[in-house]
Amino acid sequence: MARPKNKTELLDLSKKNYELLMEFIENFSQEEQEKEFPKGTMNRNIKDVLMHLHHWHLMMLEWYTIGMNGEKPDIPAKGYTWKTTPNLNRWIWEMYQKTTLYEAKAELESSYKKIRMLIKSHSNDELFEKKRYKWTGSTSLGAYVISASSSHYDWARKLIKKAKR
């Protein structure tokens, strides 16, 4: 499916890509799920990928909360710019190194549900009208949500697939 252009497509694609990702992971044995990826990727295993997704959900939810309160959120995060996203992702990776795969799955499921609730709480116009909210700049709320959900789940599945070849 192409990039979502309305609320229904966003709900459908985010659910589809999330479920594809989780089913893909669950098709591996427990041992294979916990196995390290080949060298060359920052995210060294499935748990790292899941916590990356989870933390980007949390950041999206924080941007939303701050922005909808009329304030300017630090996007992507305080002390980081889009150019320094690799450094931010490294920081995220370091933060979750003590997290287990079991915990990562539960955390991601929880934040995924919050993202779904956010989508459901808005009308199509609220999600996809550009410049509707000052904090989203020239883009739409939906564009931010797509990046933190459906597109990100697809990226994660492809990354894991590549690492497991």
Side-chain angles (χ1 to χ4, degrees):
M1 183 184 278
R3 188 172 174 88
K5 292 179 182 63
N6 60 52
K7 179 179 178 173
T8 302
E9 289 177 2
L10 177 54
L11 283 167
D12 290 348
L13 190 60
S14 64
K15 182 176 192 245
K16 177 186 169 197
N17 285 358
Y18 180 80
E19 289 174 352
L20 280 171
L21 170 65
M22 298 314 288
E23 287 168 16
F24 182 69
I25 291 167
E26 292 306 321
N27 281 328
F28 292 112
S29 68
Q30 188 65 32
E31 180 184 359
E32 191 63 33
Q33 287 182 39
E34 295 186 15
K35 189 176 175 184
E36 292 287 307
F37 294 166
K39 297 213 182 305
T41 61
M42 180 183 56
N43 293 302
R44 300 296 304 133
N45 51 46
I46 289 172
K47 179 264 303 178
D48 289 347
V49 175
L50 299 182
M51 291 314 294
H52 172 91
L53 295 173
H54 168 67
H55 197 84
W56 278 89
H57 281 166
L58 296 182
M59 291 190 307
M60 171 66 227
L61 293 165
E62 182 180 14
W63 303 336
Y64 175 81
T65 301
I66 292 168
M68 296 310 250
N69 281 328
E71 299 170 37
K72 178 109 174 86
D74 291 314
I75 299 174
K78 189 165 182 61
Y80 296 93
T81 65
W82 289 115
K83 273 190 169 181
T84 61
T85 301
N87 296 338
L88 171 60
N89 287 333
R90 168 73 54 194
W91 177 80
I92 293 168
W93 178 84
E94 289 170 357
M95 187 170 33
Y96 293 107
Q97 285 308 291
K98 291 188 176 14
T99 305
T100 66
L101 177 61
Y102 177 82
E103 292 166 334
K105 289 177 182 179
E107 291 289 329
L108 180 59
E109 177 74 16
S110 174
S111 62
Y112 164 74
K113 288 178 179 174
K114 290 175 184 171
I115 293 291
R116 298 255 328 149
M117 288 189 324
L118 185 154
I119 297 167
K120 288 178 180 180
S121 73
H122 286 279
S123 70
N124 192 67
D125 287 345
E126 290 169 339
L127 286 166
F128 287 93
E129 182 183 305
K130 292 182 178 186
K131 301 180 183 180
R132 184 177 187 106
Y133 304 107
K134 189 175 181 183
W135 72 271
T136 63
S138 63
T139 191
S140 66
L141 173 58
Y144 279 90
V145 178
I146 290 165
S147 295
S149 64
S150 57
S151 293
H152 224 171
Y153 310 146
D154 188 49
W155 163 84
R157 188 173 49 80
K158 287 175 182 173
L159 178 73
I160 295 166
K161 192 176 198 176
K162 183 179 176 186
K164 293 295 185 181
R165 279 189 199 147

